[in-house]
Amino acid sequence: MTALFVFIIAVVVLVASAFAVWPVMRGAGRGRLILAAAILLFVIGVGAGTYLTLGRPALAVRSLEGTNTRDTAGLIALLAKRVHQAPGDVRAWTFLGKAYLSLGDTNNAAKAFARGIALDNSNAELYSAYGEALVAQSGGAVPPEAEAAFNKTLTLAPKDQAARYYLGFAFAARGEKAKAIALWQGLLDEAPANAPYRQELATRIAILSRAEKK
């Protein structure tokens, strides 16, 4: 690992940190500073993980398993403190839900997203994330509450990919194959040529198409 490469990595991390923190810093108050610090630590942690992966590939997985868990747990602690101090901060609830979800705590993730939705019922990102948390909580199935969240997402953001993807499963499970195919075909048509999920979508569409013809 050359000194120049290390310098480039450091610059990238600092720039990414600035972009992540700036929208939060524009607000005033001590609570905003706490949230900004939490996001900054999280972004720097991701940057450090990139360094470990590129610089020491043999140690990357072992090093990051413990570090990422501790970093995310620390971020959750800071965000939990923030939402306790300012329960009306939608952005903090969103970050908290995503942090919980990254640790596999789907129950608390869903609760955090639900709190955010209660504060802002016009936020498509929150509805989509809430639906994903409920799907994860159900072991991959799309329960009615998740389906409702995804439908609400699409009324606010018709191109949301996660909502269209999971609603495809809901339609397929009910035997509404044409609707599922339409959603997944739309995603496939929009996917970049090198997107890793293209093959999965194509396979699912082919399976449903054959079933539709029977």
Side-chain angles (χ1 to χ4, degrees):
M1 180 72 66
T2 65
L4 177 59
F5 190 74
V6 173
F7 175 75
I8 292 172
I9 291 292
V11 170
V12 170
V13 171
L14 287 174
V15 172
S17 301
F19 273 104
V21 172
W22 171 244
V24 179
M25 288 296 292
R26 285 187 298 179
R30 183 172 176 272
R32 287 284 179 177
L33 292 177
I34 292 174
L35 179 57
I39 298 168
L40 181 61
L41 288 172
F42 185 68
V43 172
I44 290 175
V46 172
T50 302
Y51 172 87
L52 285 170
T53 303
L54 294 174
R56 294 184 290 167
L59 300 177
V61 174
R62 186 177 64 188
S63 299
L64 290 178
E65 280 176 352
T67 302
N68 278 352
T69 299
R70 288 195 300 271
D71 287 349
T72 307
L75 175 63
I76 286 174
L78 286 169
L79 290 170
K81 182 178 179 180
R82 168 58 183 167
V83 296
H84 178 74
Q85 294 174 337
D89 192 332
V90 176
R91 184 183 291 270
W93 283 111
T94 304
F95 281 124
L96 182 60
K98 289 181 177 180
Y100 275 129
L101 201 56
S102 72
L103 286 183
D105 188 347
T106 57
N107 183 48
N108 278 320
K111 288 179 180 178
F113 292 134
R115 287 293 298 271
I117 289 171
L119 294 167
D120 181 5
N121 62 6
S122 63
N123 190 316
E125 179 189 3
L126 274 171
Y127 278 106
S128 184
Y130 179 53
E132 286 192 70
L134 292 175
V135 169
Q137 197 172 15
S138 300
V142 184
E145 192 174 359
E147 185 174 352
F150 290 133
N151 280 322
K152 179 65 174 179
T153 301
L154 292 184
T155 64
L156 297 168
K159 290 294 186 179
D160 187 271
Q161 292 182 329
R164 291 152 69 197
Y165 177 75
Y166 288 112
L167 280 175
F169 285 102
F171 287 135
R174 286 199 297 270
E176 299 179 60
K177 301 180 184 66
K179 290 183 178 180
I181 290 170
L183 284 174
W184 288 342
Q185 187 62 55
L187 287 172
L188 184 60
D189 291 342
E190 296 169 9
N194 61 344
Y197 55 87
R198 284 187 64 89
Q199 186 56 53
E200 180 204 347
L201 285 172
T203 300
R204 294 190 183 281
I205 290 169
I207 292 172
L208 285 184
S209 296
R210 286 197 294 270
E212 184 79 356
K213 293 175 182 178
K214 292 181 179 180

